[in-house]
Amino acid sequence: MKKFIMILIALFIFSMSAGATIVDDMKSEVDEYNANSDDIPSSLKDMLGNERIHVKVDMNNGSALNLKVVTSDASIVEFGELESGEEFGPTLIVNTNENTARSIMASSSPAKVFLDAYDRGDIEINSPSFTKKVSLTVGKFVLKVSQWLGFY
């Protein structure tokens, strides 16, 4: 179950660290994730199951990589790069940098690396919706408790 949660986190946040090659590599992970999405705890499904996520990665070469991840009932139904000027009404906006994304993808404990980066502010998760901002605050608390209990 931890593997699927880590894959979820990686796909939502870090599937985009070196342009098209990394994006293509991560697309293959979507099938594995979707095949096992029934194993995701219901609390996470409720929190992340129906989202339109705009992921922004500041690349080391000074460019920015913009991705969209769309989930429905905790399955990823759309994943790819955003076209220049494309708007799709995200419910979540995730900001990070290439080094953080690479460190998470290279880790044998991606959930821990993700949570540490999130705690340090190397990952920012925001929402244009007030209600979703409240949910994110509660979610961060739940993640902290999970860390204290040794789940991550």
Side-chain angles (χ1 to χ4, degrees), residues 16-19 57-65 96-98 102:
M16 59 314 210
S17 61
V57 181
D58 294 327
M59 303 298 287
N60 292 338
N61 66 7
S63 68
L65 181 60
T96 192
N97 61 61
E98 182 176 356
R102 285 187 181 279

Side-chain angles (χ1 to χ4, degrees), residues 40-86:
I40 297 171
S42 61
S43 59
L44 280 178
K45 283 184 180 182
D46 292 343
M47 223 166 57
L48 301 171
N50 297 294
E51 299 294 344
R52 301 175 60 78
I53 306 163
H54 180 181
V55 181
K56 301 176 183 180
V57 181
D58 294 327
M59 303 298 287
N60 292 338
N61 66 7
S63 68
L65 181 60
N66 291 283
L67 296 169
K68 63 179 167 183
V69 178
V70 179
T71 62
S72 177
D73 295 324
S75 292
I76 297 170
V77 296
E78 188 174 351
F79 174 83
E81 286 189 69
L82 280 170
E83 299 295 323
S84 180
E86 178 182 356

Side-chain angles (χ1 to χ4, degrees), residues 1 3-12 26-41 44-45 48-50 69-77:
M1 180 168 16
K3 178 181 179 184
F4 303 119
I5 294 169
M6 290 183 273
I7 290 172
L8 173 67
I9 292 169
L11 285 172
F12 280 171
M26 294 309 292
K27 283 181 182 179
S28 67
E29 296 289 333
V30 170
D31 292 334
E32 180 181 346
Y33 167 79
N34 283 339
N36 297 293
S37 64
D38 289 340
D39 296 331
I40 297 171
L44 280 178
K45 283 184 180 182
L48 301 171
N50 297 294
V69 178
V70 179
T71 62
S72 177
D73 295 324
S75 292
I76 297 170
V77 296

Side-chain angles (χ1 to χ4, degrees), residues 68-139:
K68 63 179 167 183
V69 178
V70 179
T71 62
S72 177
D73 295 324
S75 292
I76 297 170
V77 296
E78 188 174 351
F79 174 83
E81 286 189 69
L82 280 170
E83 299 295 323
S84 180
E86 178 182 356
E87 276 296 324
F88 72 106
T91 56
L92 294 176
I93 301 166
V94 177
N95 294 286
T96 192
N97 61 61
E98 182 176 356
N99 290 337
T100 300
R102 285 187 181 279
S103 68
I104 291 169
M105 288 189 290
S107 174
S108 60
S109 300
K112 181 177 180 350
V113 175
F114 167 80
L115 292 171
D116 290 345
Y118 186 58
D119 287 343
R120 284 191 315 269
D122 293 338
I123 300 166
E124 296 176 358
I125 304 173
N126 297 299
S127 176
S129 160
F130 174 76
T131 304
K132 187 62 72 174
K133 286 178 185 178
V134 172
S135 295
L136 289 171
T137 301
V138 171

